[in-house]
């Protein structure tokens, strides 16, 4: 990535981060198995209901997956969320 840099070291940090991120995405795509992806897609599409569970660092991924699946199919929810009526003060 060659761009004119006015910030010097600060810009170099972001350039390095961008290269590392691109390498991570390339690595992920290189390991992706098309048949497994199609199978998972078919199962998610044909399931009567989908429940997503994620804890700790996977909480945000589970929330995002729940949101996205909910946009294209019904009866998707994230497991483990307390409803407002069950929360304790």
């Amino acid at each position: 990535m060659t761009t004119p840099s006015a910030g010097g070291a600060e810009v170099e940090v972001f350039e390095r981060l961008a290269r590392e991120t691109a390498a991570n995405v390339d690595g992920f795509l290189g390991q992706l198995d098309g048949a497994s992806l199609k199978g998972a897609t078919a199962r998610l599409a044909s399931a009567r209901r989908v429940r997503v569970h994620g804890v700790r660092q996977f909480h945000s991924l589970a929330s995002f997956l729940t949101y996205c699946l909910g946009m294209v199919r019904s009866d998707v929810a994230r497991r483990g969320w307390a409803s407002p009526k069950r929360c304790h003060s």
Side-chain angles (χ1 to χ4, degrees), residues 2 7 10 12 17 28 32 35 37 40 44 50-51 57 62 69-70 76 83:
T2 56
E10 293 87 359
E12 289 176 14
L17 181 60
F28 166 75
L32 194 60
L37 182 60
L44 286 169
V50 176
R51 297 296 177 257
Q57 68 267 34
L69 284 174
V76 177
S83 65

Side-chain angles (χ1 to χ4, degrees), residues 34-53:
S36 295
L37 182 60
K38 285 182 181 181
T41 302
R43 291 186 77 175
L44 286 169
S46 64
R48 189 166 55 99
R49 69 176 47 128
V50 176
R51 297 296 177 257
V52 181
H53 180 72

Side-chain angles (χ1 to χ4, degrees), residues 2 13 29 31 61 84:
T2 56
V13 169
L29 293 175
Q31 296 176 16
L61 176 63

